[in-house]
Amino acid sequence: MTRQRPIALRCLPAPLAGILALLLAAPSVWAGGAIQVPLITEPQPIAVPPVTHETLANGLQVWVVERHEQPIALFTLVLPRGKLADPPGKEGLAAFTAALLKQGTTSRTAEEIAEAIEFVGGSLTSSAGTENTVISAQVVAKDAALALELMADVVLNPTFPEAEVALLRQQFIGAVRQQKDDPLALASVHAAAFFYGAGHRLGRPETEESYTAMTRDDIVAFHRDHYGPREAIFLAVGDLDPQWVVQEVERLFGSWQGPAAPPPEIQPVPRLEASRVRWVARPGQTQVQVRLRQNGPARTAEEWVALQVANQILGSGGFASRLMQAIRSDLGQTYGIWSQYTTYRFPGAWELATFTRNESLWATLEAIHTELRRFAEEGVTEEELAKAKSQLLGRFPLQLETLAGTAALVTDAILDHGSLDPITDVPEQVAALTLADVNGAIRAHLDPERFAVVLLGDPAVLETAPGPIFGVPREQVEIVDWTAPVRGYRPGDR
């Protein structure tokens, strides 16, 4: 066992996208008229709690971060398999499997699992994202043994009862149906499908048909093939004895083997060579949902920090962002507009989302396009960069104030680098960013003339288009009915 000494946490590594996203999403305090505060220009050293790391014989990495301020324990098991492992035609299988873990094991029913964790006032969750499946438990530290027992039971011994499969299937299908009644959600689903295309998992949404096609045998096979200790991370944060945690994890998970299948092959994200537009026709809508996407870098890209700072200035910095100022404050054409980069370990997308009144659509799109062109051509100013850097440098220390924040920081570092070494590098990276760095990253990664555009609204609005939409003539706009199944873009579609 190796015991790591406390280290001075100087900043986040470039790939720690989750932490940067939390910081960048926080409300801005430097919009016009806000209270003026001195800009922070230098990193603020922070002492990281003691960290213990050991890798079990079966490959499971165990990390323990000691936080003794409060008698609380947070356990997180991260499996490097998520929805990218879903087989074609059964989109949603990873999420379905994760949701079923707590619905019965060889020794406990779903009710007994729920009662056990609720009795001690704790929580037990399981879910699948794009790249990972995460099982977490949080309890008062004195109940840590119970939390570990329950986690091990649901991960290693789920029985996936047929009755629970049928019940959960209806819940998932119900969620898909509700999505169609939510213009915001439906537009976002179409945006992903239209950008990534039918050949990529992220371009194939979960559907009633995909959930109906899943059988209990599929779920059992997914658990066998994709759950296992190899490349998995077990993280414990809180008022804990590291030696006890490692011993308990080894006792409970030491005989665990797998996964049986190799990691899924990640299909490359298609390169968007020219703009294309899809209109999702929903008669009677008084507003139009707007979604733009284009290719973006992986969160391990060299320019990741520079791009995150640039995007805060453009569209993720709350009311201080350029898009909010130009589209909401100056023109009054929307209540909100934001942009972000997807935070995957493979190249994903840059995306923008907003909505506006039917009669304002064309002026809004023109204003957005104008602002994106200006941003790409002129970049950011020294003043904007100084304020954005100050926000990051000032807010970073807050990440270690909570167990969840600490867990997120450590998990991202391990997933992206396999160690905590990068954590010692980042307010320096942020503080060292120059105008040339940020503007160079913008020029390299933001193309104002190449977008996959999805517009959801009354089809009568499309007929009023005064000209091409982001360079696409109206007759080349793909029109789909909002009740039709969402499908990914395919070459040859118009």
Side-chain angles (χ1 to χ4, degrees):
M1 180 190 303
T2 59
R3 183 72 170 268
Q4 297 187 356
R5 294 180 299 171
I7 56 177
L9 185 58
R10 298 194 298 274
C11 201
L12 286 168
L16 294 187
I19 306 306
L20 279 172
L22 289 172
L23 293 171
L24 298 176
S28 175
V29 297
W30 48 268
I35 296 173
Q36 298 299 309
V37 295
L39 293 179
I40 300 172
T41 60
E42 297 295 330
Q44 302 178 77
I46 302 173
V48 172
V51 177
T52 298
H53 171 223
E54 183 166 328
T55 300
L56 304 187
N58 61 5
L60 180 62
Q61 295 187 52
V62 184
W63 295 79
V64 186
V65 182
E66 297 179 56
R67 292 289 304 271
H68 299 292
E69 300 90 340
Q70 295 181 332
I72 303 174
L74 172 63
F75 301 108
T76 303
L77 175 64
V78 182
L79 308 175
R81 307 290 176 92
K83 67 164 58 177
L84 293 177
D86 288 344
K90 295 180 181 178
E91 290 78 15
L93 183 57
F96 202 65
T97 303
L100 280 165
L101 293 178
K102 301 183 298 176
Q103 303 310 310
T105 69
T106 54
S107 60
R108 295 177 174 91
T109 65
E111 291 77 13
E112 289 171 336
I113 294 170
E115 288 175 0
I117 194 68
E118 290 170 5
F119 182 77
V120 297
S123 64
L124 178 64
T125 62
S126 55
S127 62
T130 298
E131 298 178 287
N132 305 310
T133 293
V134 178
I135 301 93
S136 293
Q138 182 165 316
V139 293
V140 175
K142 67 179 181 62
D143 298 312
L146 172 65
L148 289 175
E149 289 278 358
L150 291 175
M151 285 184 70
D153 199 19
V154 301
V155 171
L156 274 60
N157 307 310
T159 53
F160 307 116
E162 287 282 10
E164 298 291 348
V165 171
L167 180 61
L168 192 64
R169 189 197 315 278
Q170 292 309 308
Q171 294 178 14
F172 275 61
I173 289 175
V176 171
R177 291 172 178 168
Q178 290 177 4
Q179 198 174 62
K180 290 186 176 181
D181 292 328
D182 182 350
L184 188 153
L186 186 59
S188 296
V189 171
H190 271 279
F194 195 50
F195 172 74
Y196 288 104
H200 197 282
R201 168 62 186 91
L202 297 183
R204 300 192 303 272
E206 298 83 355
T207 64
E208 293 184 42
E209 292 74 19
S210 67
Y211 286 122
T212 300
M214 295 175 198
T215 67
R216 181 181 178 279
D217 288 344
D218 292 324
I219 297 161
V220 171
F222 190 93
H223 181 267
R224 178 197 65 223
D225 292 343
H226 298 293
Y227 281 55
R230 289 197 302 274
E231 299 182 359
I233 297 166
F234 191 98
L235 175 65
V237 182
D239 187 18
L240 296 161
D241 174 11
Q243 184 176 3
W244 176 84
V245 172
V246 173
Q247 289 175 346
E248 284 298 287
V249 172
E250 184 160 23
R251 179 179 70 84
L252 294 166
F253 291 93
S255 61
W256 190 25
Q257 298 298 316
E265 180 182 357
I266 299 176
Q267 296 297 320
V269 176
R271 182 70 181 170
L272 188 65
E273 300 298 340
S275 288
R276 56 177 183 258
V277 181
R278 171 181 291 182
W279 188 282
V280 183
R282 199 163 192 239
Q285 290 288 114
T286 60
Q287 295 179 333
V288 179
Q289 292 287 332
V290 178
R291 303 289 185 273
L292 275 64
R293 292 204 183 199
Q294 67 175 227
N295 296 93
R299 71 173 186 247
T300 52
E302 184 178 350
E303 308 99 333
W304 184 258
V305 166
L307 284 172
Q308 292 297 297
V309 172
N311 190 62
Q312 170 162 333
I313 296 168
L314 175 63
S316 70
F319 286 101
S321 71
R322 283 200 188 180
L323 289 172
M324 282 286 276
Q325 287 290 315
I327 311 304
R328 184 189 192 276
S329 301
D330 295 346
L331 299 179
Q333 292 176 342
T334 185
Y335 287 109
I337 182 170
W338 57 265
S339 64
Q340 70 175 22
Y341 285 95
T342 53
T343 56
Y344 304 137
R345 291 189 294 276
F346 58 89
W350 175 87
E351 56 189 276
L352 177 151
T354 189
F355 60 93
T356 190
R357 301 181 306 276
N358 289 352
E359 60 272 21
S360 302
L361 175 63
W362 309 117
T364 299
L365 291 182
E366 180 60 31
I368 290 171
H369 205 175
T370 297
E371 194 61 36
L372 293 176
R373 284 168 169 159
R374 186 169 76 90
F375 193 73
E377 293 169 3
E378 300 176 9
V380 305
T381 67
E382 287 281 9
E383 181 182 9
E384 288 174 323
L385 178 58
K387 290 176 178 177
K389 289 165 61 173
S390 179
Q391 280 191 304
L392 281 175
L393 294 172
R395 287 175 178 163
F396 178 75
L398 299 178
Q399 292 304 300
L400 289 176
E401 292 299 314
T402 66
L403 296 190
T406 302
L409 189 155
V410 172
T411 301
D412 282 349
I414 298 168
L415 286 173
D416 291 339
H417 291 277
S419 75
L420 299 185
D421 293 343
I423 296 179
T424 62
D425 290 336
V426 176
E428 277 89 357
Q429 288 189 28
V430 173
L433 282 175
T434 67
L435 202 63
D437 294 332
V438 175
N439 289 338
I442 294 171
R443 287 191 297 271
H445 291 281
L446 181 63
D447 185 345
E449 308 304 331
R450 189 171 62 217
F451 289 103
V453 181
V454 166
L455 304 169
L456 184 150
D458 194 311
V461 179
L462 178 59
E463 299 303 315
T464 68
I469 305 169
F470 278 85
V472 178
R474 190 176 69 185
E475 59 271 17
Q476 293 184 13
V477 173
E478 178 193 27
I479 303 175
V480 299
D481 189 85
W482 71 279
T483 61
V486 178
R487 66 177 179 84
Y489 173 83
R490 294 171 296 200
D493 287 351
R494 299 186 66 178

